[in-house]
Amino acid sequence: MDEAAGDLKQALPNFNDSLQVHVEVHQKSSSTAKTENVTAHVMQLLNRHSIVFGDYTWTEFDDPLLVKNVNSVAVVDTELKLKDRKPIDLEKCNICIHVFQLNEEGPSAENLEDESEELVAANHWLLPAVDFHRLWESLIYDSEIKSNLLDYVTTTLLFSDKNVDSNLIAWNRVVLLHGIPLNNPIFTCHPLGPPGTGKTSLCKALAQKLSIRLSSRYRYGQLVEINSHSLFSKWFSESGKLVTKMFQKIHELIDDKDALVFVLIDEVESLTAARSASSAGTEPSDAIRVVNAVLTQIDHIRRYPNVVILTTSNITEKIDLAFVDRADIKQYIGPPSPAAIFNIYISCIEELMKRQIIYPRQQLLTLRDLEMIGYVENNISKLSLLLNDISRKSEGLSGRVLRKLPFLAHALFIQSPTVTVEKFLEALLLAVEKQFEERKTLMEST
């Protein structure tokens, strides 16, 4: 190690001593190399590059085994713990290496038959799946949402592995991501939470991340996304049988102890709202029996050590309290703040620079950099301050819309193979203004 690196190591703070660092190794789908061999060569790579600044990814190697067998080696999720890019001495950290290959087959449909037709009751993925590759990294939040969810599921699986008595210490393996804070008085005026905030994507990304993170414990992951509207839209006779058949299929997956199974129920209020309607006399009594059966099935499968139930809701006021009580984590997912929007835009601009659509490459300052210079405008900070202004003007837009805006900016206001950062930011501002104009027009017409 050279003298400069040695000086830096001496200056590193003590937090490295207890820091657990996760390294994800994306093994090529064509590779037949053994995990232990890949891990050994990755350790050699890390020993040669022992100081990193936050998350870092290698895609080029001088080691023939890595060249042949590995797409990337990534130090990941350090910002979830450190909250900032800081120098990390890997030699002083507890390094966990996770080697994985992506399943490229895509989802399969779980079909169920009732008296008249065949219903697509669920989509089923083997994890980790190419469909969700880098989805986790694309989701940007202000608070510790991602870190808390990782820690929660990791703890539930640890407690199960250690046979902690659930009668003494209770946990239910149920996560609820919702769009409006529970028990909020604004329910009466605004019962619908904001769509497009990434609740469903976060569930899928969490399942993918944990399938990689726990690959030494489980050989593979399974994600079953239940189609609530198909499964619970029919309340007479066959509906109860459909629910039973669906959960029988889930039981078959859970019985494989080498599999980590995630059950995703999107728009979970479609279950519990029916029971509320039934109680009010607007639905037949079969509805309440079916929903009770669903809750009973959830109660049963959550006792298994290798299953996690992930749910989302936008209509929070309609979630049955019996279900809410079952959720260990009830996490609010709202629209991104200006700071999160800034980071979303930065990630989009970096991708366009990588593809040389934005050219030449220019380094933009982070929000922390801008704060350190007191937001003073100069030749270095000018473009970053413009992006910060655009981010503030974008407040109120969902993450789903924000990810589309760089495309719309190019399509509507650029339309050339390459563009400078400055011209792109001007186009992005126009795209943001157009988005709010269109929203205003739609509201006035309704």
Side-chain angles (χ1 to χ4, degrees):
M1 183 173 294
D2 59 37
E3 184 176 348
D7 291 341
L8 180 56
K9 286 170 68 68
Q10 292 295 323
L12 292 180
N14 292 330
F15 61 70
N16 283 310
D17 295 340
S18 58
L19 182 66
Q20 186 176 58
V21 172
H22 294 276
V23 179
E24 295 179 358
V25 182
H26 179 193
Q27 188 172 352
K28 294 180 179 179
S29 58
S30 59
S31 171
T32 58
K34 294 182 178 180
T35 299
E36 54 266 31
N37 290 340
V38 174
T39 300
H41 283 257
V42 169
M43 279 303 304
Q44 293 174 12
L45 171 70
L46 298 177
N47 288 336
R48 293 195 303 272
H49 305 277
S50 61
I51 297 178
V52 294
F53 289 82
D55 292 1
Y56 190 84
T57 301
W58 291 270
T59 55
E60 297 181 357
F61 313 100
D62 53 16
D63 182 325
L65 184 138
L66 296 182
V67 170
K68 181 180 179 181
N69 295 283
V70 171
N71 285 316
S72 64
V73 175
V75 176
V76 298
D77 298 327
T78 59
E79 78 283 357
L80 298 183
K81 297 295 183 182
L82 300 180
K83 311 298 183 294
D84 198 7
R85 288 175 59 87
K86 296 178 181 178
I88 300 171
D89 183 358
L90 297 178
E91 292 183 357
K92 293 183 178 180
C93 296
N94 177 19
I95 296 178
C96 300
I97 297 177
H98 314 285
V99 181
F100 68 95
Q101 291 177 295
L102 293 175
N103 184 285
E104 300 178 352
E105 295 180 359
S108 60
E110 297 287 354
N111 296 321
L112 298 176
E113 293 183 1
D114 69 359
E115 292 181 340
S116 59
E117 61 182 312
E118 188 172 73
L119 302 174
V120 178
N123 288 317
H124 177 206
W125 286 267
L126 285 177
L127 301 177
V130 67
D131 294 17
F132 310 134
H133 187 46
R134 299 197 62 77
L135 178 59
W136 178 263
E137 290 77 12
S138 74
L139 298 170
I140 297 173
Y141 302 99
D142 300 292
S143 64
E144 300 175 344
I145 291 172
K146 291 163 73 173
S147 177
N148 288 345
L149 288 173
L150 275 178
D151 292 343
Y152 158 71
V153 179
T154 301
T155 296
T156 65
L157 297 170
L158 170 67
F159 275 38
S160 297
D161 283 345
K162 297 295 185 181
N163 294 316
V164 174
D165 189 339
S166 60
N167 291 318
L168 297 176
I169 300 177
W171 70 99
N172 292 324
R173 309 175 178 284
V174 180
V175 174
L176 170 62
L177 305 183
H178 57 93
I180 291 181
L182 296 170
N183 301 320
N184 192 314
I186 68 170
F187 277 162
T188 54
C189 300
H190 305 283
L192 183 63
T197 57
K199 294 183 288 294
T200 304
S201 294
L202 181 54
C203 287
K204 294 176 178 178
L206 178 64
Q208 174 96 339
K209 172 65 70 171
L210 286 162
S211 295
I212 295 171
R213 183 70 59 89
L214 299 169
S215 57
S216 61
R217 172 68 177 80
Y218 300 96
R219 283 198 302 111
Y220 57 94
Q222 307 258 19
L223 173 62
V224 180
E225 182 182 21
I226 293 177
N227 186 337
S228 300
H229 295 292
S230 291
L231 200 58
F232 308 112
S233 61
K234 298 186 176 183
W235 297 112
F236 293 97
S237 63
E238 287 299 306
S239 55
K241 295 178 182 178
L242 290 175
V243 169
T244 302
K245 288 179 181 178
M246 182 69 256
F247 280 93
Q248 283 175 348
K249 289 180 177 288
I250 294 172
H251 276 285
E252 292 173 5
L253 300 178
I254 298 171
D255 284 339
D256 183 355
K257 303 306 178 186
D258 288 332
L260 177 57
V261 180
F262 297 89
V263 179
L264 170 57
I265 307 176
D266 209 10
E267 299 180 4
V268 72
E269 69 274 0
S270 63
L271 310 185
T272 54
R275 190 161 78 163
S276 299
S278 178
S279 298
T282 58
E283 289 283 348
S285 60
D286 189 53
I288 197 167
R289 289 197 296 269
V290 171
V291 176
N292 283 337
V294 171
L295 295 176
T296 299
Q297 291 287 348
I298 289 175
D299 285 342
H300 185 57
I301 66 172
R302 65 185 168 83
R303 297 171 187 167
Y304 286 76
N306 58 326
V307 63
V308 179
I309 300 168
L310 306 170
T311 67
T312 73
S313 177
N314 282 328
I315 311 176
T316 322
E317 69 168 358
K318 291 190 175 181
I319 302 178
D320 193 286
L321 289 178
F323 179 82
V324 173
D325 287 344
R326 286 164 168 79
D328 295 318
I329 285 190
K330 296 170 275 286
Q331 178 65 59
Y332 168 66
I333 309 289
S337 70
I341 294 171
F342 183 93
N343 289 326
I344 289 172
Y345 283 153
I346 283 284
S347 68
C348 295
I349 290 169
E350 282 292 326
E351 175 65 14
L352 293 176
M353 286 182 178
K354 180 180 177 181
R355 306 303 173 184
Q356 296 189 343
I357 293 175
I358 294 179
Y359 187 85
R361 173 179 286 273
Q362 285 185 252
Q363 183 67 43
L364 292 173
L365 300 180
T366 66
L367 285 176
R368 181 171 175 79
D369 294 333
L370 292 175
E371 183 181 353
M372 290 179 65
I373 65 171
Y375 297 92
V376 174
E377 182 174 336
N378 53 42
N379 290 335
I380 297 175
S381 65
K382 180 180 177 181
L383 294 179
S384 301
L385 287 170
L386 175 57
L387 181 59
N388 188 43
D389 182 57
I390 295 171
S391 301
R392 293 184 180 281
K393 291 179 178 178
S394 303
E395 189 173 10
L397 299 177
S398 70
R400 183 182 299 160
V401 171
L402 292 168
R403 291 286 180 186
K404 292 179 182 178
L405 284 177
F407 168 81
L408 294 174
H410 188 282
L412 297 175
F413 304 109
I414 298 173
Q415 300 173 342
S416 64
T418 59
V419 63
T420 64
V421 175
E422 184 173 7
K423 291 296 183 182
F424 178 79
L425 291 179
E426 291 172 358
L428 182 61
L429 177 57
L430 292 174
V432 170
E433 292 172 345
K434 182 176 176 60
Q435 192 69 36
F436 281 105
E437 288 172 4
E438 292 176 350
R439 177 183 288 190
K440 182 179 178 181
T441 301
L442 284 172
M443 292 180 66
E444 289 174 348
S445 64
T446 56

